[in-house]
Amino acid sequence: MTDATVTQLRNRPRPDIEREPEDISRIGEISRPIGLWEGIFAITAVRRALVLVGLGIAWEVYARWVGNPLMFPSLSDTLSAWWADMSSGRLPGAAASSLRVLLIGYGTAIALSAVMTTLAVSTRVGTDLLATLTAMFNPLPAIAILPLALLWFGLGTSSIVFVIVHSVLWAVSLNTFTGFLSVSQTQRMAGRNYGLGGLRLVIFILIPAAFPSILAGLKIGWAFAWRTLIAAELVFGVSGNAAGLGWYIFEARNALETATVFAGLLTVILIGLAVEGIVFRSIEAATIRKWGMQNH
Amino acid sequence: MLATEKMPGVAVRAGVQTLLQVDGVTLQYKTRDRLVTATYRVSFDVKEQDRFILLGPSGCGKSTLLKCVAGFLSPTEGTMTLDGRVIDRPGPDRMMVFQEFDQLMPWLTVLDNVMFAMRRSGRFPKNEIRDRARRATVKVGLERFQDVYPHMLSGGMKQRVAIARALAMEPRILLMDEPFAALDALTRRRMQEELLELWDDVRFTLMFVTHSIEEAIILGSRILVLTPHPGQVRAELDATAYSHEHQGDAEFMAFNRKINGMLFGMQETAHD
């Protein structure tokens, strides 16, 4: 074929095609509900529970195979130690005492962080202050300032609260401030258009708009608080009779009750899971998921 | 919008009262390494019930000019007055509809979004707010979506919510910054028609930024043509005579070509 004929063929108009769509009733299945198993596996809780069961089985099998309860107690030993201390009230007491200290520290840190980030987002001095302080203190491990805290506040709850505040404050502030900065210019302008400014802009526009970041910061802060608390309690219990989970673990180790050590750790994990799975999940479901700010 | 229903006098004053006066406005803004002049000594008047269009290629400072009317920026030179008062800050008497869909608050339902502005500005009695918001959403055809969150809406619907939200505030002037630019062509055309119907109904004063000559001619009653870099007034034209029905007409096309010539010079007139 010569080039000329190719061009000719290309330029020839192609016939129009028109078709009637087929009757929908004849197509058959257009959509159908998904099967039972697929439905069950779509539930996150079910899948997560399966992972837990798998890990539990692996633990039990491995521990039995090792056969050294002093070094690595089995799941069943751990559970019975856990149950014994739960029913005796020793573990719930320790957990309650830890949680109380934790909540005081966490709450204080969040309040401080709210003040600092609000200042930072409304004034330039505030921005510089927050940026510098965060850069300085965020990498500083809480445990490293524990000796200082002990010197200032003595052996007691206030020392632990101090180090918890330190570990939570910077993480939460950093996340919140980053969230504030990423709020779109359009949303800010829309807010200012209504006459919002200063604190009212922060409360009504910036906080909800930056909520995904804030929530992420709160989660990280919660985890940091837990770690710091347990670590600090391992160093010295809380004063007097109200000893926390860290002290519980420490004592059990001294007594070579390894199953009890594991029971203590298990409690720490369980509380962490409960907070993550119940508290934070319901906050997420009621906020950022409902608002379409998080898609998974 | 609802004020006009209560004030029959408005119809008589139509197109007479000067609402917004822009006088010799030069706008400059700083980037990291230079001072950019966006507009240079721009002057124009917007009368009540005008559909005033700022038209120009990108970089002519038309959006900057609109943001200045909204009060987000202040002019380096010249003055802007609304009802004789100098504009120096953002305020709910000049409601803005943006191009971006994220101007809605994702944490509020459609109705709450409309009520949000009314509540926060404190301009309306508390017991009327819900009612007014409902009426505003009905006006833009969203009565069935009042309790839906914005992420479930299409782009066109989001823009309708933004328009409802702005109109519910009964602003002195409605500012629109290329509100339909991010929509597909069919939706855009429908939205233009709806905006004109709404204007027929409510008779608000509108200031509208666009870079589409066609959109300017169809929507506008008055078109301010700006030159690029920096924006200067090239012409202020009357476009009351044209709407969607005239789109293919010889007159419409001639008008289009005229503006095209002003914007780009006579050599490239064929396309928009």
Side-chain angles (χ1 to χ4, degrees):
Chain A
M1 241 190 280
T2 64
D3 281 356
T5 42
V6 171
T7 321
Q8 248 180 1
L9 277 174
R10 245 185 226 149
N11 289 344
R12 201 165 56 190
R14 297 166 67 206
D16 292 349
I17 301 169
E18 278 189 50
R19 300 177 68 177
E20 284 298 314
E22 266 190 64
D23 189 15
I24 288 191
S25 60
R26 286 178 48 206
I27 298 178
E29 237 178 20
I30 294 176
S31 71
R32 77 170 157 191
I34 50 172
L36 179 66
W37 281 113
E38 236 176 309
I40 289 177
F41 277 107
I43 303 170
T44 313
V46 173
R47 292 198 314 268
R48 301 264 158 101
L50 279 179
V51 171
L52 276 183
V53 170
L55 286 174
I57 291 172
W59 177 359
E60 184 69 33
V61 169
Y62 178 72
R64 277 170 196 244
W65 178 69
V66 171
N68 184 350
L70 196 63
M71 296 302 279
F72 198 86
S74 67
L75 176 60
S76 42
D77 290 346
T78 305
L79 284 179
S80 57
W82 184 77
W83 182 245
D85 277 348
M86 276 308 266
S87 35
S88 78
R90 196 169 152 227
L91 248 180
S97 141
S98 281
L99 273 175
R100 199 177 58 85
V101 179
L102 186 74
L103 286 177
I104 295 174
Y106 192 60
T108 315
I110 289 172
L112 278 176
S113 150
V115 174
M116 283 183 62
T117 44
T118 304
L119 272 180
V121 83
S122 2
T123 63
R124 195 189 276 191
V125 183
T127 313
D128 295 337
L129 188 69
L130 181 72
T132 316
L133 287 180
T134 316
M136 277 166 61
F137 292 124
N138 200 24
L140 196 64
I143 281 304
I145 63 162
L146 188 60
L148 205 58
L150 290 177
L151 191 65
W152 288 344
F153 301 104
L155 274 169
T157 314
S158 26
S159 287
I160 296 194
V161 168
F162 179 76
V163 288
I164 291 176
V165 168
H166 165 81
S167 69
V168 175
L169 178 61
W170 312 113
V172 172
S173 300
L174 196 64
N175 266 280
T176 307
F177 191 60
T178 314
F180 283 172
L181 292 185
S182 64
V183 173
S184 84
Q185 205 56 39
T186 317
Q187 248 161 36
R188 281 163 198 269
M189 282 201 278
R192 286 171 59 200
N193 199 176
Y194 310 153
L196 297 181
L199 191 59
R200 279 169 23 111
L201 190 75
V202 174
I203 293 171
F204 292 117
I205 304 283
L206 294 185
I207 289 179
F211 208 69
S213 304
I214 295 176
L215 202 57
L218 290 179
K219 278 187 187 176
I220 295 172
W222 175 259
F224 279 14
W226 248 134
R227 288 187 204 183
T228 310
L229 173 75
I230 302 297
E233 282 181 353
L234 277 171
V235 175
F236 69 100
V238 178
S239 60
N241 44 11
L245 278 172
W247 188 246
Y248 171 92
I249 294 169
F250 187 69
E251 273 188 333
R253 198 212 65 125
N254 280 351
L256 286 182
E257 291 163 359
T258 316
T260 313
V261 173
F262 272 67
L265 293 175
L266 189 67
T267 313
V268 174
I269 292 172
L270 284 179
I271 293 176
L273 278 181
V275 170
E276 165 73 33
I278 299 167
V279 179
F280 283 116
R281 271 206 163 256
S282 16
I283 295 178
E284 260 175 19
T287 56
I288 53 183
R289 259 162 209 274
K290 196 163 92 177
W291 305 337
M293 288 172 158
Q294 188 193 49
N295 301 312
H296 292 287
Chain B
M1 59 198 271
L2 304 153
T4 48
E5 289 162 13
K6 288 179 204 145
M7 292 161 46
V10 169
V12 185
R13 293 181 303 159
V16 183
Q17 215 83 353
T18 298
L19 182 67
L20 175 77
Q21 215 160 14
V22 174
D23 191 20
V25 163
T26 301
L27 289 171
Q28 291 178 320
Y29 57 88
K30 269 192 207 126
T31 64
R32 195 166 278 273
D33 51 9
R34 64 186 69 219
L35 185 71
V36 180
T37 303
T39 66
Y40 184 72
R41 293 193 177 156
V42 172
S43 301
F44 58 88
D45 286 353
V46 179
K47 313 255 183 212
E48 288 217 19
Q49 300 189 18
D50 263 353
R51 299 187 307 273
F52 200 92
I53 311 281
L54 299 179
L55 172 68
S58 43
C60 74
K62 51 194 188 309
S63 283
T64 318
L65 207 53
L66 197 74
K67 285 197 179 107
C68 191
V69 175
F72 296 122
L73 307 163
S74 41
T76 349
E77 183 188 27
T79 53
M80 284 192 175
T81 53
L82 184 82
D83 285 326
R85 272 176 323 219
V86 175
I87 294 170
D88 57 354
R89 71 186 65 177
D93 53 344
R94 286 150 283 138
M95 287 301 289
M96 184 112 166
V97 175
F98 300 89
Q99 176 183 341
E100 294 85 5
F101 297 149
D102 69 353
Q103 63 187 297
L104 300 180
M105 312 304 164
W107 58 92
L108 299 173
T109 61
V110 167
L111 196 66
D112 285 332
N113 255 291
V114 178
M115 293 198 294
F116 182 78
M118 288 198 266
R119 282 210 182 112
R120 296 282 82 88
S121 67
R123 293 174 66 202
F124 300 93
K126 273 216 170 77
N127 50 352
E128 280 181 28
I129 288 177
R130 184 167 289 270
D131 238 31
R132 282 168 183 266
R134 273 189 208 288
R135 266 181 286 167
T137 47
V138 170
K139 270 225 163 71
V140 294
L142 287 176
E143 60 270 41
R144 291 197 301 118
F145 298 93
Q146 285 176 345
D147 300 319
V148 159
Y149 284 91
H151 69 102
M152 300 166 180
L153 300 176
S154 68
M157 286 154 104
K158 283 180 192 163
Q159 293 310 79
R160 283 200 202 118
V161 178
I163 294 171
R165 179 173 77 174
L167 280 180
M169 291 290 285
E170 299 178 8
R172 292 292 285 142
I173 185 165
L174 179 65
L175 310 173
M176 300 180 102
D177 188 4
E178 306 198 37
F180 308 145
L183 300 173
D184 63 275
L186 294 175
T187 314
R188 187 181 316 139
R189 176 168 171 147
R190 242 214 357 262
M191 295 291 291
Q192 290 166 349
E193 279 168 11
E194 285 180 13
L195 184 67
L196 284 174
E197 279 166 26
L198 208 58
W199 183 86
D200 256 340
D201 187 19
V202 184
R203 297 286 163 144
F204 46 88
T205 310
L206 171 68
M207 205 165 154
F208 191 103
V209 164
T210 181
H211 58 254
S212 153
I213 299 177
E214 205 165 75
E215 186 168 65
I217 300 176
I218 291 168
L219 286 181
S221 63
R222 204 134 179 97
I223 302 174
L224 190 78
V225 184
L226 294 163
T227 60
H229 293 302
Q232 284 176 281
V233 176
R234 176 72 174 80
E236 197 186 312
L237 308 167
D238 192 274
T240 331
Y242 310 99
S243 69
H244 273 118
E245 302 98 74
H246 311 99
Q247 223 166 344
D249 292 1
E251 261 179 90
F252 186 100
M253 300 306 281
F255 193 47
N256 191 328
R257 267 199 297 279
K258 180 175 160 189
I259 298 176
N260 223 318
M262 286 175 175
L263 286 177
F264 303 106
M266 296 312 282
Q267 64 274 20
E268 34 173 348
T269 50
H271 45 80
D272 179 353

